[in-house]
Amino acid sequence: MNFQLLLRRRGIVDHAVLKAMDEVPREDFVEPITRDDAYADVALPIACGQTISQPFVVAYMTEQLQLRRYHRVLEIGTGSGYQAAVLSHLAAEVVTVERYRTLADRARLRLRRLARDNVEVLTADGFDLPDELGLFDRVMVTAAMEEVPESLKERLTKDGVLLAPVGPDGGVQVLMRIRRRAPDSAADSASQGFATEELLEVRFVPALKGIARQL
């Protein structure tokens, strides 16, 4: 089946997202042994015990971010680099963080070969990000968290959006969309908060704290 048709049948309607999915060669981001299944709508194993999400989930999460060309995006959990590559076609800048150095190094090489110059790959702890990274218009977490840390929500600009799978390790999580509300007026900063919406049941590998000592 045509890749775009598969995604359309699953409910993806954003033309920019469909175009980005079509332009990123997914076969470059999977392991050689699974290359024949690169465009199947399934998650596939990659190094360090991690996975590359199924195409529908990648497209759905990207669509739900409601990206604009001027947005600065943070991704927690680089993995193969595939999601970051898709995001790079839709945003001005993508900073993606990976705790496994092997995955970060491989993703950086893949993205460089594809000339995705607006992506920066960092080996870092997604739960303890450097202050100098600043704020982001959009944040995407691609690993399961039992709860979203306040420190990560605080990375959002006003009216920024965060997506994260929230739930137990090894079980079903719920994809949550959290939007940072702007104050009603400059004098009403107390009205600023976070609006949370449940989107979809998903399954992701767990988000772990710290930088991996090996791999």
Side-chain angles (χ1 to χ4, degrees):
M1 183 186 296
N2 175 278
F3 191 47
Q4 279 206 17
L5 180 59
L6 181 151
L7 296 173
R8 287 176 185 274
R9 287 186 174 179
R10 294 295 308 272
I12 306 302
V13 297
D14 188 305
H15 293 291
V17 172
L18 289 166
K19 186 172 184 288
M21 294 289 294
D22 208 39
E23 290 179 347
V24 177
R26 187 171 163 89
E27 68 273 13
D28 289 356
F29 293 87
V30 302
E31 299 298 312
I33 195 171
T34 60
R35 191 158 291 165
D36 288 346
D37 296 319
Y39 291 92
D41 197 24
V42 294
L44 296 171
I46 59 174
C48 306
Q50 304 301 294
T51 59
I52 176 174
S53 295
Q54 68 188 90
F56 166 71
V57 170
V58 173
Y60 181 84
M61 291 181 70
T62 303
E63 188 174 60
Q64 294 303 317
L65 273 187
Q66 302 167 336
L67 288 164
R68 298 294 180 266
R69 287 287 182 185
Y70 57 84
H71 281 159
R72 185 169 189 249
V73 182
L74 171 66
E75 180 193 26
I76 305 296
T78 308
S80 69
Y82 179 67
Q83 178 71 80
V86 172
L87 294 172
S88 74
H89 282 265
L90 300 163
E93 179 186 357
V94 179
V95 178
T96 180
V97 175
E98 176 55 59
R99 70 186 297 268
Y100 291 102
R101 191 172 303 278
T102 295
L103 291 179
D105 290 346
R106 291 180 182 179
R108 193 177 294 112
L109 287 173
R110 291 183 181 113
L111 293 162
R112 189 177 300 156
R113 284 198 298 266
L114 293 173
R116 305 319 302 165
D117 300 329
N118 61 336
V119 182
E120 181 180 8
V121 182
L122 302 177
T123 303
D125 180 357
F127 287 90
D128 187 20
L129 297 170
D131 290 339
E132 57 265 27
L133 284 184
L135 300 180
F136 295 86
D137 303 293
R138 299 291 187 265
V139 176
M140 178 185 286
V141 182
T142 58
M145 293 181 159
E146 292 192 0
E147 61 181 1
V148 180
E150 288 298 317
S151 60
L152 198 54
K153 295 180 186 178
E154 293 295 334
R155 289 283 174 176
L156 288 172
T157 58
K158 293 175 183 178
D159 206 36
V161 174
L162 182 152
L163 280 184
V166 179
D169 174 14
V172 176
Q173 301 98 33
V174 176
L175 185 63
M176 308 294 290
R177 180 164 59 191
I178 300 170
R179 187 181 296 274
R180 185 167 201 170
R181 293 190 295 243
D184 294 334
S185 69
D188 190 20
S189 60
S191 69
Q192 182 170 310
F194 298 95
T196 301
E197 180 184 2
E198 295 185 2
L199 298 178
L200 185 74
E201 288 190 351
V202 290
R203 286 182 180 270
F204 278 85
V205 296
L208 302 175
K209 294 183 179 181
I211 298 173
R213 294 184 179 181
Q214 297 179 334
L215 304 176

